[in-house]
Amino acid sequence: MSFETIQNQDKNGRLNAEIQGYVESHEKQRQLQKRTLSIVIASQIFGGAGLAAGITVGALLAQDMLGTDRYAGIPTALFTLGSAAAALLVGRLSQRKGRRIGLATGFLAGGLGAVGVVLAAIFNNLPLLFLSLLVYGGGTATNMQARYAGTDLALPTERAKAISMAMVFTTFGAVAGPNLVNVMGRFSVSIGAPALSGPFMLAAVAYIVAGVVLLLFLRPDPFMVAQAIAEKERHDRTEQPNNRITSVHKRGIVIGATVMILTQSVMVAIMTMTPVHMTHHGHGISDVGIVIGIHVAAMYLPSLITGVLVDKFGRTLMSYASGVTLLLAGLLAAFAPADSMVLLILALALLGLGWNFGLISGTATVVDATPPQVRAKTQGMVDVLIALAGASGGAMSGMVVEQTSFSTLSLIGGFLSLLLIPVVVWVRPKS
Protein backbone atom coordinates (compact mmCIF):
# COMPACT_ATOMS: atom_id res chain seq x y z
CA MET A 1 0.00 0.00 0.00
CA SER A 2 1.44 3.38 -1.03
CA PHE A 3 2.07 6.24 1.37
CA GLU A 4 -0.41 8.38 -0.62
CA THR A 5 -3.15 5.76 -0.20
CA ILE A 6 -2.54 5.62 3.56
CA GLN A 7 -2.74 9.43 3.71
CA ASN A 8 -6.06 9.44 1.81
CA GLN A 9 -7.53 6.76 4.07
CA ASP A 10 -6.44 8.71 7.16
CA LYS A 11 -7.96 11.90 5.75
CA ASN A 12 -11.24 10.15 4.91
CA GLY A 13 -11.34 8.58 8.34
CA ARG A 14 -10.97 11.94 10.06
CA LEU A 15 -13.62 13.41 7.76
CA ASN A 16 -16.09 10.60 8.50
CA ALA A 17 -15.45 10.94 12.23
CA GLU A 18 -16.11 14.68 12.03
CA ILE A 19 -19.36 14.15 10.13
CA GLN A 20 -20.40 11.40 12.54
CA GLY A 21 -20.12 13.87 15.40
CA TYR A 22 -22.77 16.02 13.74
CA VAL A 23 -24.98 13.02 12.96
CA GLU A 24 -25.15 12.11 16.64
CA SER A 25 -25.84 15.62 17.95
CA HIS A 26 -28.95 17.65 17.11
CA GLU A 27 -27.37 20.68 18.77
CA LYS A 28 -24.32 20.47 16.52
CA GLN A 29 -26.63 20.13 13.51
CA ARG A 30 -28.42 23.35 14.42
CA GLN A 31 -25.09 25.12 14.93
CA LEU A 32 -23.83 23.89 11.56
CA GLN A 33 -27.06 25.02 9.90
CA LYS A 34 -26.58 28.55 11.26
CA ARG A 35 -22.91 28.57 10.23
CA THR A 36 -23.78 27.28 6.77
CA LEU A 37 -26.33 30.04 6.27
CA SER A 38 -23.81 32.71 7.28
CA ILE A 39 -21.22 31.39 4.80
CA VAL A 40 -23.77 31.05 2.00
CA ILE A 41 -24.97 34.58 2.73
CA ALA A 42 -21.41 35.93 2.43
CA SER A 43 -20.92 34.19 -0.91
CA GLN A 44 -24.32 35.36 -2.18
CA ILE A 45 -23.47 39.02 -1.60
CA PHE A 46 -20.58 38.70 -4.05
CA GLY A 47 -22.49 36.33 -6.33
CA GLY A 48 -25.31 38.85 -6.64
CA ALA A 49 -22.90 41.51 -7.86
CA GLY A 50 -21.58 39.05 -10.42
CA LEU A 51 -24.92 38.11 -11.94
CA ALA A 52 -26.12 41.72 -12.13
CA ALA A 53 -23.54 42.61 -14.80
CA GLY A 54 -25.06 40.37 -17.44
CA ILE A 55 -28.58 41.49 -16.60
CA THR A 56 -27.76 45.19 -16.81
CA VAL A 57 -25.46 45.57 -19.82
CA GLY A 58 -25.41 42.18 -21.56
CA ALA A 59 -28.03 43.16 -24.13
CA LEU A 60 -26.49 46.61 -24.62
CA LEU A 61 -23.04 45.09 -25.20
CA ALA A 62 -24.45 42.76 -27.86
CA GLN A 63 -26.39 45.62 -29.44
CA ASP A 64 -23.17 47.64 -29.63
CA MET A 65 -20.99 44.82 -31.03
CA LEU A 66 -23.60 43.40 -33.45
CA GLY A 67 -25.02 46.76 -34.58
CA THR A 68 -28.66 45.58 -34.39
CA ASP A 69 -31.46 45.12 -31.85
CA ARG A 70 -32.64 41.88 -33.41
CA TYR A 71 -30.15 39.76 -31.50
CA ALA A 72 -29.95 41.85 -28.35
CA GLY A 73 -31.45 38.95 -26.40
CA ILE A 74 -28.63 36.60 -27.44
CA PRO A 75 -26.30 37.38 -24.47
CA THR A 76 -29.05 36.56 -21.99
CA ALA A 77 -29.82 33.40 -23.94
CA LEU A 78 -26.15 32.40 -24.01
CA PHE A 79 -25.32 32.90 -20.36
CA THR A 80 -28.65 31.35 -19.42
CA LEU A 81 -27.87 28.38 -21.69
CA GLY A 82 -24.45 28.18 -20.07
CA SER A 83 -26.14 28.22 -16.70
CA ALA A 84 -28.23 25.24 -17.78
CA ALA A 85 -25.13 23.15 -18.45
CA ALA A 86 -23.52 24.46 -15.28
CA ALA A 87 -26.62 23.64 -13.22
CA LEU A 88 -26.39 20.00 -14.29
CA LEU A 89 -22.64 19.82 -13.65
CA VAL A 90 -22.79 21.68 -10.32
CA GLY A 91 -25.72 19.51 -9.19
CA ARG A 92 -23.93 16.27 -10.03
CA LEU A 93 -20.64 17.47 -8.55
CA SER A 94 -22.44 18.54 -5.37
CA GLN A 95 -24.11 15.11 -5.15
CA ARG A 96 -20.72 13.38 -5.33
CA LYS A 97 -18.37 15.83 -3.60
CA GLY A 98 -20.67 18.07 -1.56
CA ARG A 99 -21.90 21.65 -1.81
CA ARG A 100 -18.47 23.17 -1.07
CA ILE A 101 -16.74 21.74 -4.13
CA GLY A 102 -19.77 22.04 -6.43
CA LEU A 103 -20.63 25.65 -5.63
CA ALA A 104 -17.03 26.89 -5.50
CA THR A 105 -16.30 25.36 -8.91
CA GLY A 106 -19.36 27.03 -10.44
CA PHE A 107 -18.52 30.49 -9.11
CA LEU A 108 -14.89 30.27 -10.21
CA ALA A 109 -16.02 29.25 -13.71
CA GLY A 110 -18.37 32.26 -13.79
CA GLY A 111 -15.47 34.55 -12.88
CA LEU A 112 -13.38 33.11 -15.70
CA GLY A 113 -16.25 33.68 -18.12
CA ALA A 114 -16.56 37.32 -17.03
CA VAL A 115 -12.84 37.83 -17.72
CA GLY A 116 -13.44 36.41 -21.21
CA VAL A 117 -16.31 38.85 -21.84
CA VAL A 118 -14.04 41.77 -20.93
CA LEU A 119 -11.35 40.55 -23.34
CA ALA A 120 -13.95 40.02 -26.08
CA ALA A 121 -15.19 43.59 -25.68
CA ILE A 122 -11.65 44.99 -25.77
CA PHE A 123 -10.73 43.09 -28.94
CA ASN A 124 -14.23 43.25 -30.48
CA ASN A 125 -14.18 39.45 -30.83
CA LEU A 126 -17.71 38.03 -31.23
CA PRO A 127 -16.78 34.30 -31.04
CA LEU A 128 -14.91 34.93 -27.78
CA LEU A 129 -17.87 36.96 -26.49
CA PHE A 130 -20.34 34.14 -27.15
CA LEU A 131 -18.06 31.46 -25.67
CA SER A 132 -17.32 33.58 -22.61
CA LEU A 133 -21.00 34.29 -22.01
CA LEU A 134 -21.64 30.54 -21.93
CA VAL A 135 -18.95 30.10 -19.26
CA TYR A 136 -20.15 33.21 -17.41
CA GLY A 137 -23.48 31.42 -17.04
CA GLY A 138 -21.80 29.07 -14.58
CA GLY A 139 -21.88 31.86 -12.00
CA THR A 140 -25.57 32.47 -12.62
CA ALA A 141 -26.40 28.79 -12.12
CA THR A 142 -24.28 28.58 -8.98
CA ASN A 143 -25.85 31.69 -7.53
CA MET A 144 -29.22 29.97 -7.95
CA GLN A 145 -28.09 26.60 -6.60
CA ALA A 146 -26.54 28.15 -3.50
CA ARG A 147 -30.09 28.61 -2.18
CA TYR A 148 -30.36 24.84 -1.79
CA ALA A 149 -27.33 24.70 0.52
CA GLY A 150 -29.29 26.53 3.18
CA THR A 151 -31.96 23.81 3.24
CA ASP A 152 -29.79 20.71 3.68
CA LEU A 153 -30.00 20.75 7.48
CA ALA A 154 -33.13 22.90 7.89
CA LEU A 155 -36.27 21.53 9.52
CA PRO A 156 -39.13 20.88 7.05
CA THR A 157 -41.16 23.72 8.57
CA GLU A 158 -38.25 26.14 8.11
CA ARG A 159 -37.09 25.28 4.59
CA ALA A 160 -38.67 28.21 2.78
CA LYS A 161 -37.26 30.56 5.39
CA ALA A 162 -33.79 29.03 4.90
CA ILE A 163 -34.11 29.50 1.12
CA SER A 164 -35.14 33.10 1.65
CA MET A 165 -32.18 33.77 3.98
CA ALA A 166 -29.80 32.51 1.30
CA MET A 167 -31.49 34.67 -1.33
CA VAL A 168 -32.15 37.93 0.47
CA PHE A 169 -28.51 38.83 0.91
CA THR A 170 -27.98 38.45 -2.83
CA THR A 171 -29.81 41.77 -2.93
CA PHE A 172 -26.84 43.73 -1.61
CA GLY A 173 -24.54 42.70 -4.42
CA ALA A 174 -27.24 42.51 -7.08
CA VAL A 175 -28.47 46.04 -6.39
CA ALA A 176 -24.96 47.47 -6.02
CA GLY A 177 -23.93 45.97 -9.38
CA PRO A 178 -26.33 47.90 -11.66
CA ASN A 179 -25.77 51.10 -9.71
CA LEU A 180 -22.01 50.81 -10.23
CA VAL A 181 -22.45 50.71 -14.02
CA ASN A 182 -21.29 54.30 -14.50
CA VAL A 183 -18.42 53.95 -12.02
CA MET A 184 -17.15 50.75 -13.63
CA GLY A 185 -17.74 52.22 -17.08
CA ARG A 186 -15.52 55.20 -16.29
CA PHE A 187 -12.90 52.89 -14.80
CA SER A 188 -12.83 50.66 -17.86
CA VAL A 189 -12.52 53.67 -20.18
CA SER A 190 -9.64 54.98 -18.06
CA ILE A 191 -7.67 51.80 -18.73
CA GLY A 192 -8.52 51.75 -22.42
CA ALA A 193 -11.41 49.26 -22.39
CA PRO A 194 -14.99 49.80 -23.67
CA ALA A 195 -17.34 51.30 -21.06
CA LEU A 196 -19.77 48.36 -21.26
CA SER A 197 -17.02 45.92 -20.24
CA GLY A 198 -16.72 47.60 -16.84
CA PRO A 199 -19.58 45.75 -15.11
CA PHE A 200 -18.08 42.44 -16.25
CA MET A 201 -14.79 43.39 -14.56
CA LEU A 202 -16.78 43.74 -11.35
CA ALA A 203 -18.46 40.38 -12.07
CA ALA A 204 -15.12 38.63 -12.51
CA VAL A 205 -13.84 39.78 -9.11
CA ALA A 206 -17.18 39.14 -7.38
CA TYR A 207 -17.62 35.57 -8.67
CA ILE A 208 -14.04 34.59 -7.85
CA VAL A 209 -14.34 35.94 -4.30
CA ALA A 210 -17.64 34.08 -3.83
CA GLY A 211 -15.99 30.83 -4.94
CA VAL A 212 -13.02 31.29 -2.63
CA VAL A 213 -15.28 32.03 0.37
CA LEU A 214 -17.17 28.76 -0.13
CA LEU A 215 -14.03 26.74 -0.82
CA LEU A 216 -12.30 27.92 2.33
CA PHE A 217 -15.11 28.11 4.87
CA LEU A 218 -17.97 25.71 4.00
CA ARG A 219 -16.64 22.95 6.26
CA PRO A 220 -17.92 20.46 7.23
CA ASP A 221 -20.07 20.19 4.15
CA PRO A 222 -23.78 20.47 5.12
CA PHE A 223 -24.90 18.22 2.28
CA MET A 224 -22.52 15.43 3.29
CA VAL A 225 -23.80 15.71 6.87
CA ALA A 226 -27.42 15.59 5.64
CA GLN A 227 -26.64 12.44 3.64
CA ALA A 228 -25.08 10.80 6.69
CA ILE A 229 -28.11 11.70 8.81
CA ALA A 230 -30.47 10.21 6.22
CA GLU A 231 -28.39 7.03 6.05
CA LYS A 232 -28.51 6.69 9.84
CA GLU A 233 -32.28 7.13 9.82
CA ARG A 234 -32.56 4.46 7.14
CA HIS A 235 -30.66 1.99 9.29
CA ASP A 236 -32.57 2.95 12.44
CA ARG A 237 -35.95 2.25 10.82
CA THR A 238 -35.31 -1.41 10.06
CA GLU A 239 -38.98 -2.23 10.57
CA GLN A 240 -39.93 -0.03 7.60
CA PRO A 241 -39.11 -0.58 3.90
CA ASN A 242 -36.09 1.41 2.75
CA ASN A 243 -38.10 3.23 0.11
CA ARG A 244 -39.91 5.13 2.85
CA ILE A 245 -36.67 7.04 3.30
CA THR A 246 -35.40 7.26 -0.25
CA SER A 247 -38.61 7.66 -2.26
CA VAL A 248 -38.90 10.64 -4.58
CA HIS A 249 -42.27 12.39 -4.80
CA LYS A 250 -42.43 12.98 -8.55
CA ARG A 251 -45.63 15.02 -8.39
CA GLY A 252 -43.97 17.53 -6.08
CA ILE A 253 -40.98 17.83 -8.40
CA VAL A 254 -43.28 18.44 -11.39
CA ILE A 255 -45.20 21.17 -9.55
CA GLY A 256 -42.09 22.91 -8.21
CA ALA A 257 -40.28 22.73 -11.54
CA THR A 258 -43.28 24.01 -13.51
CA VAL A 259 -43.73 27.01 -11.22
CA MET A 260 -40.06 27.97 -11.49
CA ILE A 261 -39.86 27.38 -15.26
CA LEU A 262 -42.83 29.60 -16.05
CA THR A 263 -41.77 32.40 -13.70
CA GLN A 264 -38.20 32.31 -15.04
CA SER A 265 -39.17 32.47 -18.71
CA VAL A 266 -41.59 35.37 -18.18
CA MET A 267 -39.21 37.34 -15.98
CA VAL A 268 -36.16 36.90 -18.24
CA ALA A 269 -38.04 37.81 -21.43
CA ILE A 270 -39.39 41.13 -20.12
CA MET A 271 -36.28 42.01 -18.11
CA THR A 272 -33.92 41.38 -21.05
CA MET A 273 -35.57 43.87 -23.38
CA THR A 274 -36.27 46.57 -20.81
CA PRO A 275 -32.80 48.22 -21.16
CA VAL A 276 -33.12 48.24 -24.96
CA HIS A 277 -36.69 49.61 -24.72
CA MET A 278 -35.51 52.37 -22.38
CA THR A 279 -32.51 53.45 -24.47
CA HIS A 280 -34.75 53.67 -27.55
CA HIS A 281 -36.90 56.19 -25.70
CA GLY A 282 -34.17 58.52 -24.52
CA HIS A 283 -33.19 57.01 -21.16
CA GLY A 284 -29.48 56.97 -20.32
CA ILE A 285 -27.52 54.04 -18.95
CA SER A 286 -27.79 55.45 -15.41
CA ASP A 287 -31.61 55.29 -15.70
CA VAL A 288 -31.29 51.70 -16.90
CA GLY A 289 -29.10 50.93 -13.88
CA ILE A 290 -31.71 52.36 -11.49
CA VAL A 291 -34.62 50.39 -13.02
CA ILE A 292 -32.70 47.12 -13.19
CA GLY A 293 -31.28 47.68 -9.70
CA ILE A 294 -34.79 48.07 -8.25
CA HIS A 295 -35.96 45.07 -10.28
CA VAL A 296 -33.17 42.90 -8.86
CA ALA A 297 -33.91 44.21 -5.36
CA ALA A 298 -37.53 43.12 -5.81
CA MET A 299 -36.30 39.70 -6.94
CA TYR A 300 -34.38 39.09 -3.72
CA LEU A 301 -35.15 41.61 -0.96
CA PRO A 302 -38.70 40.38 -0.17
CA SER A 303 -37.33 36.85 0.34
CA LEU A 304 -37.45 36.90 4.16
CA ILE A 305 -41.15 37.75 4.15
CA THR A 306 -41.84 35.38 1.24
CA GLY A 307 -40.14 32.50 3.04
CA VAL A 308 -42.32 32.99 6.12
CA LEU A 309 -45.46 33.21 3.96
CA VAL A 310 -44.57 30.04 2.04
CA ASP A 311 -43.97 28.11 5.28
CA LYS A 312 -47.14 29.48 6.89
CA PHE A 313 -49.69 29.50 4.04
CA GLY A 314 -48.27 26.78 1.83
CA ARG A 315 -46.42 26.38 -1.43
CA THR A 316 -49.55 26.28 -3.60
CA LEU A 317 -51.07 29.58 -2.50
CA MET A 318 -47.81 31.44 -3.05
CA SER A 319 -47.50 29.88 -6.51
CA TYR A 320 -50.90 31.38 -7.37
CA ALA A 321 -49.72 34.74 -5.99
CA SER A 322 -46.71 34.52 -8.31
CA GLY A 323 -48.90 34.13 -11.40
CA VAL A 324 -51.15 37.05 -10.51
CA THR A 325 -48.22 39.36 -9.66
CA LEU A 326 -46.45 38.57 -12.95
CA LEU A 327 -49.67 39.28 -14.84
CA LEU A 328 -49.88 42.73 -13.22
CA ALA A 329 -46.23 43.36 -14.10
CA GLY A 330 -46.80 42.44 -17.75
CA LEU A 331 -49.88 44.66 -18.06
CA LEU A 332 -48.13 47.62 -16.47
CA ALA A 333 -44.99 47.22 -18.61
CA ALA A 334 -47.16 46.99 -21.72
CA PHE A 335 -49.26 50.10 -21.11
CA ALA A 336 -46.87 52.35 -19.16
CA PRO A 337 -45.60 55.38 -21.14
CA ALA A 338 -42.01 54.72 -22.21
CA ASP A 339 -40.83 58.03 -20.73
CA SER A 340 -42.28 57.31 -17.28
CA MET A 341 -39.50 56.16 -14.94
CA VAL A 342 -41.95 55.69 -12.07
CA LEU A 343 -44.19 53.25 -13.95
CA LEU A 344 -41.25 51.39 -15.47
CA ILE A 345 -39.77 50.99 -11.99
CA LEU A 346 -43.12 49.74 -10.63
CA ALA A 347 -43.55 47.27 -13.51
CA LEU A 348 -40.05 45.83 -13.10
CA ALA A 349 -40.45 45.72 -9.31
CA LEU A 350 -43.65 43.65 -9.70
CA LEU A 351 -41.84 41.45 -12.21
CA GLY A 352 -39.11 40.76 -9.66
CA LEU A 353 -41.62 40.18 -6.85
CA GLY A 354 -43.64 37.67 -8.89
CA TRP A 355 -40.43 35.80 -9.73
CA ASN A 356 -39.51 35.81 -6.03
CA PHE A 357 -42.85 34.25 -5.04
CA GLY A 358 -42.50 31.58 -7.71
CA LEU A 359 -38.87 30.71 -7.05
CA ILE A 360 -39.18 30.29 -3.29
CA SER A 361 -42.46 28.36 -3.38
CA GLY A 362 -41.20 26.18 -6.25
CA THR A 363 -37.83 25.55 -4.59
CA ALA A 364 -39.46 24.57 -1.31
CA THR A 365 -41.75 22.17 -3.19
CA VAL A 366 -38.78 20.48 -4.88
CA VAL A 367 -36.83 20.22 -1.60
CA ASP A 368 -39.87 18.66 0.12
CA ALA A 369 -40.10 16.06 -2.66
CA THR A 370 -36.47 14.86 -2.65
CA PRO A 371 -34.49 12.91 -0.01
CA PRO A 372 -30.76 13.68 0.49
CA GLN A 373 -29.71 10.54 -1.42
CA VAL A 374 -30.75 12.14 -4.72
CA ARG A 375 -31.45 15.74 -3.73
CA ALA A 376 -28.52 17.67 -5.23
CA LYS A 377 -28.64 15.74 -8.49
CA THR A 378 -32.40 16.28 -8.82
CA GLN A 379 -32.09 19.97 -7.96
CA GLY A 380 -29.43 20.33 -10.64
CA MET A 381 -31.68 18.76 -13.26
CA VAL A 382 -34.59 21.01 -12.28
CA ASP A 383 -32.34 24.06 -12.52
CA VAL A 384 -31.30 22.93 -16.01
CA LEU A 385 -34.92 23.17 -17.11
CA ILE A 386 -35.27 26.56 -15.42
CA ALA A 387 -32.15 27.83 -17.18
CA LEU A 388 -33.31 26.53 -20.56
CA ALA A 389 -36.63 28.29 -20.04
CA GLY A 390 -34.74 31.50 -19.29
CA ALA A 391 -32.54 31.01 -22.36
CA SER A 392 -35.61 30.58 -24.54
CA GLY A 393 -37.23 33.67 -23.05
CA GLY A 394 -34.06 35.72 -23.56
CA ALA A 395 -33.50 34.55 -27.15
CA MET A 396 -37.11 35.02 -28.24
CA SER A 397 -37.59 38.38 -26.52
CA GLY A 398 -35.45 40.32 -29.00
CA MET A 399 -37.15 38.71 -31.97
CA VAL A 400 -40.64 39.37 -30.59
CA VAL A 401 -39.82 43.04 -29.96
CA GLU A 402 -38.20 43.36 -33.41
CA GLN A 403 -41.30 41.97 -35.13
CA THR A 404 -43.94 43.55 -32.87
CA SER A 405 -43.18 45.73 -29.84
CA PHE A 406 -42.07 45.72 -26.21
CA SER A 407 -45.74 46.08 -25.21
CA THR A 408 -46.66 42.89 -27.07
CA LEU A 409 -43.81 41.02 -25.39
CA SER A 410 -44.97 42.22 -21.97
CA LEU A 411 -48.59 41.20 -22.63
CA ILE A 412 -47.55 37.73 -23.81
CA GLY A 413 -45.41 37.28 -20.71
CA GLY A 414 -48.13 38.48 -18.37
CA PHE A 415 -50.80 36.16 -19.72
CA LEU A 416 -48.36 33.23 -19.95
CA SER A 417 -47.76 33.54 -16.20
CA LEU A 418 -51.45 32.83 -15.55
CA LEU A 419 -50.82 29.24 -16.69
CA LEU A 420 -49.36 28.68 -13.23
CA ILE A 421 -52.81 28.47 -11.68
CA PRO A 422 -54.39 25.72 -13.85
CA VAL A 423 -51.12 23.76 -13.98
CA VAL A 424 -50.75 23.66 -10.19
CA VAL A 425 -54.44 22.83 -9.73
CA TRP A 426 -54.21 20.02 -12.30
CA VAL A 427 -50.97 18.47 -11.04
CA ARG A 428 -51.39 18.69 -7.27
CA PRO A 429 -52.71 15.56 -5.55
CA LYS A 430 -56.44 15.15 -5.10
CA SER A 431 -57.77 15.19 -1.56
Side-chain angles (χ1 to χ4, degrees):
M1 184 180 294
S2 69
F3 177 69
E4 184 179 353
T5 302
I6 294 172
Q7 276 190 317
N8 287 338
Q9 287 181 347
D10 183 54
K11 182 180 178 181
N12 290 335
R14 290 197 305 270
L15 181 61
N16 291 335
E18 183 182 22
I19 290 176
Q20 193 62 31
Y22 285 92
V23 172
E24 301 293 341
S25 170
H26 291 293
E27 180 60 29
K28 292 185 73 173
Q29 291 171 24
R30 299 299 289 169
Q31 290 174 356
L32 180 58
Q33 167 66 3
K34 291 178 181 178
R35 185 168 181 271
T36 297
L37 275 177
S38 66
I39 294 164
V40 170
I41 284 168
S43 71
Q44 289 294 82
I45 292 174
F46 292 103
L51 74 88
I55 293 174
T56 308
V57 300
L60 298 177
L61 182 60
Q63 182 188 32
D64 185 55
M65 292 179 69
L66 292 168
T68 178
D69 294 345
R70 185 177 183 84
Y71 303 109
I74 293 299
T76 302
L78 283 172
F79 71 69
T80 309
L81 190 62
S83 74
L88 184 62
L89 294 174
V90 170
R92 290 185 178 276
L93 190 58
S94 298
Q95 187 72 50
R96 290 174 53 234
K97 301 292 186 180
R99 301 286 187 192
R100 184 176 72 91
I101 298 298
L103 296 177
T105 301
F107 273 133
L108 293 173
L112 182 63
V115 171
V117 172
V118 173
L119 294 175
I122 291 173
F123 296 107
N124 197 33
N125 188 318
L126 282 173
L128 179 59
L129 174 68
F130 295 153
L131 177 62
S132 299
L133 284 167
L134 282 169
V135 180
Y136 170 78
T140 307
T142 308
N143 197 78
M144 291 286 288
Q145 287 215 13
R147 73 194 189 277
Y148 290 119
T151 67
D152 288 328
L153 295 173
L155 297 174
T157 55
E158 297 177 355
R159 283 173 178 161
K161 183 180 178 181
I163 296 164
S164 66
M165 286 290 290
M167 286 179 58
V168 72
F169 283 89
T170 307
T171 310
F172 294 98
V175 172
N179 286 287
L180 289 174
V181 164
N182 281 337
V183 174
M184 294 306 300
R186 288 194 295 270
F187 172 76
S188 61
V189 169
S190 72
I191 61 173
L196 291 175
S197 69
F200 283 97
M201 295 179 187
L202 174 64
V205 174
Y207 275 156
I208 290 170
V209 171
V212 170
V213 166
L214 290 165
L215 195 60
L216 293 179
F217 300 110
L218 196 62
R219 302 169 183 264
D221 194 291
F223 184 70
M224 305 304 283
V225 173
Q227 282 187 314
I229 293 170
E231 185 65 20
K232 179 179 182 296
E233 290 177 349
R234 187 179 71 83
H235 285 296
D236 289 346
R237 300 182 185 182
T238 53
E239 71 281 3
Q240 295 182 8
N242 287 347
N243 62 8
R244 287 293 299 276
I245 302 298
T246 60
S247 62
V248 177
H249 301 289
K250 294 181 180 179
R251 192 185 295 269
I253 295 174
V254 170
I255 292 175
T258 301
V259 170
M260 290 188 283
I261 286 168
L262 282 173
T263 54
Q264 181 78 358
S265 59
V266 171
M267 186 276 291
V268 169
I270 297 176
M271 174 200 69
T272 297
M273 294 311 297
T274 297
V276 176
H277 172 67
M278 290 180 67
T279 54
H280 278 174
H281 290 85
H283 294 282
I285 193 169
S286 59
D287 288 345
V288 172
I290 291 170
V291 171
I292 297 299
I294 292 173
H295 164 68
V296 175
M299 287 171 64
Y300 294 100
L301 196 56
S303 294
L304 283 178
I305 297 173
T306 304
V308 173
L309 293 175
V310 171
D311 281 332
K312 183 173 182 179
F313 296 109
R315 283 60 165 144
T316 301
L317 182 61
M318 293 306 294
S319 296
Y320 296 160
S322 172
V324 172
T325 306
L326 289 172
L327 172 64
L328 293 175
L331 292 173
L332 189 55
F335 296 113
D339 59 352
S340 173
M341 276 289 288
V342 173
L343 292 180
L344 282 173
I345 286 172
L346 181 57
L348 269 290
L350 287 172
L351 186 70
L353 182 63
W355 177 87
N356 179 271
F357 289 167
L359 187 75
I360 293 181
S361 59
T363 299
T365 303
V366 170
V367 173
D368 292 344
T370 50
Q373 289 87 345
V374 296
R375 181 171 294 159
K377 182 170 65 176
T378 304
Q379 290 163 347
M381 289 188 290
V382 169
D383 276 7
V384 168
L385 298 176
I386 297 169
L388 289 174
S392 301
M396 295 299 294
S397 61
M399 298 177 188
V400 171
V401 172
E402 176 77 13
Q403 296 299 319
T404 57
S405 65
F406 179 75
S407 296
T408 301
L409 173 70
S410 301
L411 286 174
I412 292 172
F415 285 107
L416 182 63
S417 66
L418 280 186
L419 288 176
L420 283 174
I421 296 175
V423 165
V424 174
V425 169
W426 177 63
V427 176
R428 73 176 182 172
K430 303 292 188 293
S431 299

